[in-house]
Amino acid sequence: MNTIIRREGKVSIAVGWMLVVMALLAVIVAIVLAFVINTWFLLILFGSLILLIGAGVNFRRGSRARLEITPEEFIWCGFVGRAHRIGWRDLDRILLPAPGSRPRLVAAARLRDGSIVEINALWVSPTNPANLFSPPDLSQERRTLVDGHRAFLSGMSR
């Protein structure tokens, strides 16, 4: 039952390493130009430091974005913001979205108290080129949520 779905993890790691390489090259070029031509080229170092900071944020946030299914609860979180969690014992039913609903809506969780919580695909980057032209395929996430709830219910009935 332990499952972690992370759709953009590999993309985030590749982009993070590209930012690191670009920043290091920019630092080297700025230092060489500062010694050869003029000292005001040291200002370019600030741009490369921003790239390094961006790479660090990308590594940290990219590893954070996920949908995680555990025996006690499921957790979903994105690149920014707090993690959302719902315990299986608080859940009444997983409601699948109607066709044509918002593209990043995975499902809705109807809780035992009657309230409904929307489960949005925060772990799917809206700026990914694949998601710009067509809505992301969230069928695996839907199946995983429904299967996780079924596993919890069958464990309770024993």
Side-chain angles (χ1 to χ4, degrees), residues 8-124:
E8 305 298 326
K10 292 179 184 171
V11 172
S12 179
I13 289 171
V15 169
W17 280 114
M18 284 191 287
L19 287 174
V20 167
V21 169
M22 287 172 37
L24 291 176
L25 289 174
V27 167
I28 292 169
V29 167
I31 291 172
V32 168
L33 289 176
F35 285 121
V36 172
I37 298 176
N38 201 346
T39 56
W40 68 271
F41 277 101
L42 284 174
L43 293 176
I44 298 173
L45 284 174
F46 291 116
S48 59
L49 290 175
I50 290 171
L51 281 175
L52 280 173
I53 291 169
V57 168
N58 201 329
F59 281 133
R60 169 77 173 107
R61 297 298 183 188
S63 64
R64 180 180 184 276
R66 72 190 188 282
L67 167 67
E68 185 174 350
I69 309 291
T70 67
E72 297 84 29
E73 64 186 354
F74 63 96
I75 305 162
W76 72 101
C77 57
F79 298 94
V80 294
R82 64 180 180 83
H84 306 277
R85 58 183 68 227
I86 295 178
W88 292 116
R89 62 181 78 248
D90 300 330
L91 182 67
D92 179 42
R93 182 176 302 238
I94 297 285
L95 306 170
L96 299 180
S101 60
R102 288 194 329 270
R104 296 183 66 196
L105 179 64
V106 178
R110 187 172 69 200
L111 304 179
R112 294 197 187 275
D113 65 3
S115 62
I116 294 181
V117 177
E118 291 184 342
I119 303 165
N120 292 307
L122 301 174
W123 57 92
V124 176

